[in-house]
Amino acid sequence: MNRRSLLRAGTGLLTGGAALALPQAPPAAAATDPTDGWTQTSFTYSWQKPWNLDLSDRHSSGGGVDRMRVYATDEPFEEGSSTDPRTEMRWKVDYTTGSHMWDADVYLPSGTDGASFVQILRSVHPSGTPATDIMLNVYDTGGGTVRRYDGTVLRTGAYDSWFNVKIAHRASSGTGTIKVYFDDSLVLTADDRGPATRYFKNGVYNHGSGRAEARFRSIRYWTGGSLA
């Protein structure tokens, strides 16, 4: 049989499908869910908002979405406080050790600049140590740039679209670990600031100018998992 005949014979085997089994591609690996091994846990919260305004002046809800806004000219949350204005949920789940995770879908409207939308606040901490373990801020650059404080860039193009944020914290009597996930992809691993009593906060805490807004849906709290 000449070469042309061999090629024709081979083509027949391929098109017939009975004499040649082609190797199958391995199935794609399933994406890891950061909440695997964690337990969803109930939580309560209180509100912090400009002290001289009703909550309804700076917060609205509907369709499962909480909308929080504040202006740079607003009063702080307590009369006489020197802090920046805010409209925030203050989670009433204080902790010193263990594994804790904040989880929500977040929407940051365009123009919100220099505002924090989620943080771990250290309510009781040794003198001379920082007041927060982590704070995520959005800035009016790159279509909405999310940074850890005003430093490490974690996301650009964040304005005007929903994305999921998870902050997992393994706290200890020494230095603990924090991991941040956007849409279930790890974007940051960092140490916390050492021993403290702390809690989660989310909303809008305006360190910039003008109007700041953040929206949240599907807010969940997880405990007891691993940061592997």
Side-chain angles (χ1 to χ4, degrees), residues 183-211:
D183 293 326
D184 292 339
S185 293
L186 181 66
V187 296
L188 177 71
T189 301
D191 290 339
D192 65 21
R193 265 71 182 278
T197 300
R198 64 266 285 184
Y199 55 84
F200 293 107
K201 298 182 75 178
N202 66 275
V204 60
Y205 183 21
N206 194 356
H207 311 295
S209 61
R211 182 181 189 276

Side-chain angles (χ1 to χ4, degrees), residues 35 41 59 73 119 125 139 152-154 159 179-180 193:
T35 65
T41 306
H59 167 262
T73 54
Q119 59 181 299
H125 55 93
Y139 296 90
T152 306
V153 173
L154 303 180
Y159 280 156
K179 291 192 174 185
V180 178
R193 265 71 182 278

Side-chain angles (χ1 to χ4, degrees), residues 3-226:
R3 184 172 181 273
R4 182 172 297 177
S5 298
L6 283 169
L7 289 173
R8 281 199 301 268
T11 302
L13 290 174
L14 290 173
T15 56
L20 181 63
L22 298 177
Q24 298 296 311
T32 300
D33 185 341
T35 65
D36 284 350
W38 293 70
T39 300
Q40 188 172 347
T41 306
S42 62
F43 68 97
T44 58
Y45 58 88
S46 58
W47 284 101
Q48 296 182 348
K49 46 79 178 177
W51 67 266
N52 61 334
L53 298 176
D54 292 333
L55 179 60
S56 60
D57 292 327
R58 294 293 181 263
H59 167 262
S60 60
S61 62
V65 177
D66 283 284
R67 298 171 176 85
M68 304 170 211
R69 54 200 176 274
V70 74
Y71 293 83
T73 54
D74 281 343
E75 292 292 320
F77 78 109
E78 291 180 335
E79 189 172 6
S81 171
S82 61
T83 60
D84 291 326
R86 71 190 75 187
T87 304
E88 293 182 301
M89 293 177 174
R90 189 274 198 219
W91 286 33
K92 298 177 75 174
V93 185
D94 293 29
Y95 65 93
T96 56
T97 59
S99 296
H100 306 262
M101 184 190 296
W102 182 94
D103 174 9
D105 295 336
V106 178
Y107 185 102
L108 303 169
S110 58
T112 298
D113 185 34
S116 167
F117 60 92
V118 61
Q119 59 181 299
I120 300 175
L121 193 138
R122 295 157 56 85
S123 56
V124 181
H125 55 93
S127 177
T129 63
T132 57
D133 281 311
I134 192 168
M135 182 181 284
L136 300 187
N137 297 339
V138 60
Y139 296 90
D140 193 10
T141 59
T145 298
V146 176
R147 295 176 179 266
R148 177 192 179 198
Y149 297 103
D150 60 357
T152 306
V153 173
L154 303 180
R155 185 183 185 96
T156 58
Y159 280 156
D160 303 326
S161 62
W162 288 100
F163 64 105
N164 180 261
V165 179
K166 292 180 174 70
I167 299 179
H169 184 198
R170 184 178 63 230
S172 72
S173 58
T175 299
T177 302
I178 294 171
K179 291 192 174 185
V180 178
Y181 303 84
F182 289 168
D183 293 326
D184 292 339
S185 293
L186 181 66
V187 296
L188 177 71
T189 301
D191 290 339
D192 65 21
R193 265 71 182 278
T197 300
R198 64 266 285 184
Y199 55 84
F200 293 107
K201 298 182 75 178
N202 66 275
V204 60
Y205 183 21
N206 194 356
H207 311 295
S209 61
R211 182 181 189 276
E213 181 179 343
R215 305 172 191 173
F216 302 87
R217 68 184 184 191
S218 303
I219 304 173
R220 297 179 293 178
Y221 175 46
W222 304 85
T223 58
S226 170

